[in-house]
């Protein structure tokens, strides 16, 4: 299971957290206060729809690249990748490669054309040459489904993280934490819009990179900056010997596990270019050239981060040990914080508690940033695609549209709080897996067909979006992610799964492309070659872009 698709859990050593809990609470309070101050400041500069949806298109390529990387590197990725490497060695590092390669797809196929062809949302691109109401409704529905499931996973993880750091064990206390995260999320988006969200994401990216650099330096210092010694020690401590540094430890056990890896890899690599909260980031820069440069910056920042996960993952294996990591969390999600505590001086020491608190605060920062981006993507899609262009048929004013977006934020936040409360003890892997699968199965085929295929029609778009949406949801519902595995399934003690793979991407992504193709060929309406030519020129050159 991908590190972005694993539940967050952070059991902490009681002796360390109890004694130093005031320090942890202070760090969290300082961060929350600082980010709220940034949001209020940005909110005062949000005057119109362009400011709310796209930050006034005033961010530079570097600023947007920093924000994109902050939006992309979730806490699950930060904690999970280190854990995957610590437990599975070479196979764990393949996740880092997959996430990085995904950005090449976004850069080569999506970033520049999407920025040129759209205004605020994915629905703008699809509606350019097709019937607006059905296409915008489908795009809005897909965006909201992807965002809510991704959002639910982050919120459930935040609830677990904060509850354990603060020593909260009661159900009422955990629900309160989930509600608190939801309220913060609503405040960030309703007050700050895209400007506030972008600044929070930039701050989070800086914190995450700084924390990762510090831990990488300390790990390498332990081994006198000899990477060979680090890898050798990790292999020895793992109990697997040289196999720890070779392929196949996790995904070579059976034919099904190999297929699962292929399926998961396809979903992650292709799903990234269809994730709504990533797509809307391309609209925050003034030109398509800046959009392309921002993706280049993001690739550099994200690439450096994933390169450093080698030190984090193998460092955790060598210094903490897989046995100790599994004892805290079987999925390995505690590897990075356990490593931080070790590097700071160990359990019970002030240095260990301090570094642990800092890294935990960074993890919480990543959750807040990603949650804000997801909420903004879904509320923007509802207000701009469904409310303004479907319900009001293009007659809504900017103020009415922004009001609808803010109310949508409150409603989506309430739904996320409610579902997050129920999911606080659930394995959230399936929820994030579903988000990636839907994005790759429904959004990406429709975007690519719309941009590059002259014969693509409204019926093809609807078949592709709804077909990809429902097939991915259906297959995940009957997969081991939901039932059948007593340790990791969402519903334990029951078994109604018949689909053997944990991720449906191998089936649902080709199906999304196939349905879009068949739907267009069987459509009675003719695609407008003139509109396609306009869109092609606009997407490739930027002529007439907003």
């Amino acid at each position: 299971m991908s590190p972005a698709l694993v539940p967050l859990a952070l059991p902490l050593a009681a002796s360390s957290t109890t004694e130093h809990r005031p320090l942890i609470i202070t760090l969290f309070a300082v961060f929350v206060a600082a980010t709220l101050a940034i949001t209020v400041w940005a909110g005062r500069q949000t005057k119109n729809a362009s400011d709310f949806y796209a930050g006034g298109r005033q961010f530079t390529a570097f600023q947007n690249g920093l924000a994109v990387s902050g939006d992309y590197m979730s806490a699950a990725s930060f904690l999970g990748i280190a854990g995957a490497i610590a437990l599975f060695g070479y196979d764990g590092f393949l996740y880092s490669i997959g996430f990085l390669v995904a950005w090449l797809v976004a850069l080569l196929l999506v970033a520049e054309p999407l920025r040129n062809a759209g205004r605020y949302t994915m629905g703008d691109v699809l509606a350019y040459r097709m019937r607006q109401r059905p296409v915008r409704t489908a795009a809005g529905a897909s965006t909201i489904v992807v965002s809510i499931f991704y959002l639910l996973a982050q919120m459930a993880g935040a609830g677990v993280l904060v509850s354990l750091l603060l020593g909260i064990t009661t159900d009422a206390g955990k629900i309160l934490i989930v509600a608190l995260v939801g309220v913060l999320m609503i405040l960030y988006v309703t007050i700050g819009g895209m400007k506030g969200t972008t600044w929070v994401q930039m701050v989070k990216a800086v914190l995450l990179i700084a924390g990762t650099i510090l831990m990488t330096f300390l790990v390498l210092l332990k081994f006198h900056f000899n990477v060979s010694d680090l890898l050798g020690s990790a292999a020895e401590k793992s109990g697997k010997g040289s196999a720890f540094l070779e392929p196949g430890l996790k995904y070579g056990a059976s034919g099904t596990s190999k297929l699962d890896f292929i399926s998961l890899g396809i979903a992650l690599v292709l799903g990234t270019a269809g994730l709504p909260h990533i797509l809307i980031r391309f609209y925050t820069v003034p030109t398509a050239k800046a959009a392309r440069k921002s993706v280049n910056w993001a690739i550099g920042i994200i690439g450096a981060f994933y390169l450093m996960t080698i030190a984090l993952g193998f460092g955790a294996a060598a210094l903490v040990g897989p046995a100790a990591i599994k004892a805290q969390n079987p999925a390995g999600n505690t590897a990075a914080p356990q490593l931080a505590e070790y590097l700071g001086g160990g359990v019970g020491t002030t240095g260990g508690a301090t570094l642990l608190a800092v890294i935990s605060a960074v993890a919480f920062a990543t959750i807040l940033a990603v949650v804000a981006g997801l909420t903004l993507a879904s509320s923007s899609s509802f207000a701009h695609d469904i409310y303004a262009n479907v319900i009001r048929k293009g007659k809504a004013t900017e103020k009415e549209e922004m009001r609808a977006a803010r109310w949508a934020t409150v409603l989506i936040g309430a739904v996320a709080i409610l579902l997050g409360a129920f999911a606080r003890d659930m394995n959230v892997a399936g929820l994030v897996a579903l988000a990636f699968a839907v994005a790759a199965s429904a959004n990406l085929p429709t975007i690519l067909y719309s941009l590059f295929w002259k014969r693509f029609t409204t019926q093809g778009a609807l078949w592709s979006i709804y077909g990809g949406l429902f097939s991915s949801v259906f297959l995940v519902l009957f997969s081991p992610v939901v039932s059948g595995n007593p340790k990791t399934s969402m519903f334990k003690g029951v078994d109604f799964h018949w689909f053997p793979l944990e991720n449906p991407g191998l089936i649902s992504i080709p199906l999304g492309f196939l349905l879009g193709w068949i739907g267009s060929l069987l459509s009675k309406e003719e695609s407008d070659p003139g509109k396609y030519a306009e869109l092609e020129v606009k997407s490739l050159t930027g002529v007439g872009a907003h």
Side-chain angles (χ1 to χ4, degrees), residues 103-309:
W103 271 107
L104 298 179
V105 177
L107 173 64
L108 295 174
L109 297 178
V110 173
E112 186 174 355
L114 197 72
R115 169 62 186 81
N116 286 338
R119 189 178 183 189
Y120 298 134
T121 66
M122 178 182 74
D124 288 334
V125 178
L126 304 183
Y128 191 86
R129 49 182 289 233
M130 298 170 194
R131 298 200 309 275
Q132 286 222 12
R133 297 185 73 184
V135 167
R136 284 190 183 274
T137 301
S142 177
T143 296
I144 291 170
V145 169
V146 173
S147 297
I148 283 182
F149 277 99
Y150 208 140
L151 185 63
L152 174 58
Q154 296 293 324
M155 288 191 65
V160 171
L161 175 67
V162 179
S163 297
L164 289 169
L165 283 172
L166 302 184
I168 296 172
T169 57
T170 64
D171 286 342
K174 292 177 181 178
I175 292 172
L176 185 63
I177 291 298
V178 171
L180 175 63
V181 174
V183 170
L184 284 173
M185 166 190 75
I186 293 170
L187 287 174
Y188 286 157
V189 177
T190 54
I191 296 174
M194 178 57 85
K195 284 187 176 180
T197 299
T198 299
W199 280 106
V200 169
Q201 287 165 344
M202 284 193 283
V203 170
K204 168 256 169 159
V206 171
L207 289 174
L208 180 60
I209 292 296
T212 307
I213 289 173
L214 174 62
M215 290 181 64
T216 299
F217 174 79
L218 293 176
V219 166
L220 293 177
L221 186 63
K222 289 281 185 183
F223 293 92
H224 307 290
F225 296 91
N226 189 321
V227 177
S228 179
D229 285 351
L230 168 61
L231 297 178
S233 179
E236 182 181 352
K237 192 78 174 281
S238 71
K240 306 292 183 180
S242 60
F244 191 70
L245 305 177
E246 299 171 357
L249 196 60
K250 180 175 177 61
Y251 288 108
S254 65
T256 300
S257 67
K258 293 176 181 178
L259 284 177
D260 224 340
F261 178 70
I262 294 171
S263 184
L264 190 59
I266 292 172
L268 291 176
V269 169
L270 298 181
T272 297
L275 289 175
H277 64 299
I278 299 298
L279 295 179
I280 64 171
R281 292 238 55 91
F282 299 140
Y283 298 123
T284 64
V285 289
T287 65
K289 183 178 180 181
R292 189 170 62 251
K293 284 186 176 180
S294 68
V295 178
N296 286 334
W297 275 111
I299 288 176
I301 295 168
I302 293 168
F305 168 77
Y306 287 138
L307 190 61
M308 289 187 287
T309 59

Side-chain angles (χ1 to χ4, degrees), residues 72 81 204 207 213 291 293 302 310 351 458 507 522:
Y72 188 65
I81 287 179
K204 168 256 169 159
L207 289 174
I213 289 173
K293 284 186 176 180
I302 293 168
I310 298 176
T458 300
I507 306 297
L522 297 180

Side-chain angles (χ1 to χ4, degrees), residues 197-464:
T197 299
T198 299
W199 280 106
V200 169
Q201 287 165 344
M202 284 193 283
V203 170
K204 168 256 169 159
V206 171
L207 289 174
L208 180 60
I209 292 296
T212 307
I213 289 173
L214 174 62
M215 290 181 64
T216 299
F217 174 79
L218 293 176
V219 166
L220 293 177
L221 186 63
K222 289 281 185 183
F223 293 92
H224 307 290
F225 296 91
N226 189 321
V227 177
S228 179
D229 285 351
L230 168 61
L231 297 178
S233 179
E236 182 181 352
K237 192 78 174 281
S238 71
K240 306 292 183 180
S242 60
F244 191 70
L245 305 177
E246 299 171 357
L249 196 60
K250 180 175 177 61
Y251 288 108
S254 65
T256 300
S257 67
K258 293 176 181 178
L259 284 177
D260 224 340
F261 178 70
I262 294 171
S263 184
L264 190 59
I266 292 172
L268 291 176
V269 169
L270 298 181
T272 297
L275 289 175
H277 64 299
I278 299 298
L279 295 179
I280 64 171
R281 292 238 55 91
F282 299 140
Y283 298 123
T284 64
V285 289
T287 65
K289 183 178 180 181
R292 189 170 62 251
K293 284 186 176 180
S294 68
V295 178
N296 286 334
W297 275 111
I299 288 176
I301 295 168
I302 293 168
F305 168 77
Y306 287 138
L307 190 61
M308 289 187 287
T309 59
I310 298 176
L312 298 186
F314 285 109
L319 300 174
V320 180
I325 293 169
K326 286 183 179 179
Q328 291 279 46
N329 179 262
N333 297 312
T334 60
Q338 282 180 277
L339 177 63
E341 192 170 35
Y342 179 93
L343 294 171
V347 176
T349 64
T350 301
T354 300
L355 193 53
L356 173 63
V358 168
I359 295 303
S360 300
V362 168
F364 186 64
T366 62
I367 291 172
L368 286 179
V370 173
V371 156
L374 288 163
T375 309
L376 184 63
S378 50
S379 62
S380 297
S381 186
F382 172 82
H384 185 64
D385 291 325
I386 297 176
Y387 173 76
N389 287 286
V390 176
I391 297 175
R392 294 295 305 276
K393 300 180 181 179
K395 297 179 181 178
T397 64
E398 280 197 350
K399 286 187 176 180
E400 289 174 335
E401 197 172 324
M402 289 171 64
R403 189 184 306 121
R406 289 190 166 102
W407 278 112
T409 299
V410 174
L411 181 61
I412 289 165
V415 170
I417 290 171
L418 179 64
L419 295 177
F422 282 109
R424 65 189 183 279
D425 295 322
M426 289 170 57
N427 184 313
V428 298
L431 302 175
V432 184
L434 180 58
F436 274 91
V438 172
S441 305
N443 294 348
L444 186 63
T446 315
I447 291 171
L448 294 182
Y449 277 145
S450 184
L451 290 173
F452 303 114
W453 188 27
K454 184 184 297 185
R455 293 191 60 185
F456 195 46
T457 65
T458 300
Q459 179 173 294
L462 298 179
W463 283 30
S464 183

